[in-house]
Amino acid sequence: MSFFRFIVPVFFLISIFVASNAQLSATFYATTCPNVTEIVRGVMEQTQRSDVRAGAKIIRLHFHDCFVNGCDGSILLDNATGIISEKDAAANVGAGGFDIVDDIKTALENVCPGVVSCADILALASEIGVALVGGPTWQVLLGRRDSLTANRTGVDSDIPSPVESLDVMRPQFTNKGMDITDLVALSGAHTFGRARCRTFQQRLFNFNGSGSPDPTINSTYLPTLQGTCPQGNDGNTFENLDKTTPDNFDNDYYINLQNQEGLLQTDQELFSTSGSDTIAIVNRYASSQTQFFDDFASSMIKLGNIGVLTGTNGEIRTDCKRVN
């Protein structure tokens, strides 16, 4: 199907429903850049050999991009005239992977210049990055276009903080058309990658002003974290998000939650919030990696469909850091 031949009234109606699957296609670049997947995979494979966190970095960028103004590549923009970068928001400070996106973009521009969007790069590279470390695969729908602006304030309101309660996280997901299963499944992306001390050290010594550690942290896990992040540290030391298999994509994350060994407060809240419907989902994923993989793949497709720009909306950036 061509996305450029709708008459104006029909296109107007379709552009309202930008989250519809009809806007994207797995074969969008079949004629304009037929080797797009192989090119992205080649860069990801090369990067993965020197940086085991490559996939985790990219999928975080994709999630943070999609939750602010939709999957439009806005997170990749630097500060410029009329643009206040999302990179400077608290939730994105220290985020990695921007250099990986630039490398992928350069490789694609050398083969099919001006064709593949930065937003699509994030979607494709996320799937490839997960698959490279043992995770599921899914059909990546393509055809997103890049935004002309960023939304700095939207990061603070729309991206879950690592210190949120489940009651705060729920509406952040439902407001994007995601349900509680999506919340628990996508949190499973924390089965690989690292987090800085500043994202969880509030749990270690004086949780919520109590003068004591977070009681939902396993007592044998707590000293390990306190050793990594002693009181008064600068908050920049890294700890594995998954204590058992930190560089593999598997369901150990959920087993860790059952053992009260989730690193972030937002992780452990999924299992330790009394009476929550998330507990049964955690238990299901802990007992079945296949179920987790199936649901994660479905949720990633759903995530990648949030607020996409298509048709004549937005542009195809030649440099992901700036508008054309």
Side-chain angles (χ1 to χ4, degrees), residues 216-278:
T216 66
I217 302 179
N218 185 303
S219 60
T220 61
Y221 184 41
L222 178 62
T224 299
L225 299 182
Q226 290 175 329
T228 301
C229 308
Q231 294 191 72
N233 77 95
D234 64 7
N236 287 317
T237 305
F238 285 100
E239 180 59 67
N240 295 328
L241 281 162
D242 177 345
K243 67 180 289 289
T244 53
T245 53
D247 299 326
N248 298 331
F249 200 97
D250 53 31
N251 69 332
D252 279 11
Y253 166 84
Y254 299 101
I255 298 171
N256 293 340
L257 299 187
Q258 291 178 323
N259 294 330
Q260 293 185 294
E261 294 175 335
L263 183 64
L264 306 181
Q265 179 181 339
T266 46
D267 293 327
Q268 196 57 51
E269 288 267 343
L270 300 177
F271 186 75
S272 296
T273 301
S274 179
S276 173
D277 51 355
T278 58

Side-chain angles (χ1 to χ4, degrees), residues 1-48:
M1 174 185 290
S2 170
F3 295 95
F4 302 98
R5 289 183 285 184
F6 294 103
I7 59 174
V8 173
V10 175
F11 179 81
F12 175 76
L13 289 173
I14 290 177
S15 67
I16 295 175
F17 299 101
V18 290
S20 168
N21 271 336
Q23 297 296 295
L24 304 176
S25 165
T27 58
F28 187 81
Y29 297 111
T31 58
T32 56
C33 193
N35 295 325
V36 58
T37 302
E38 289 70 23
I39 293 169
V40 176
R41 182 179 292 111
V43 176
M44 287 297 293
E45 287 175 343
Q46 181 177 357
T47 305
Q48 181 71 28

Side-chain angles (χ1 to χ4, degrees), residues 166 170 173-174 178-185 276-278 281:
L166 191 53
R170 285 178 187 270
F173 275 75
T174 57
M178 312 290 278
D179 60 27
I180 198 67
T181 298
D182 297 316
L183 191 164
V184 180
S276 173
D277 51 355
T278 58
I281 304 173

Side-chain angles (χ1 to χ4, degrees), residues 12 34 50 73 127 136-137 216 236 308:
F12 175 76
S50 60
E127 189 271 343
T137 61
T216 66
N236 287 317
V308 296

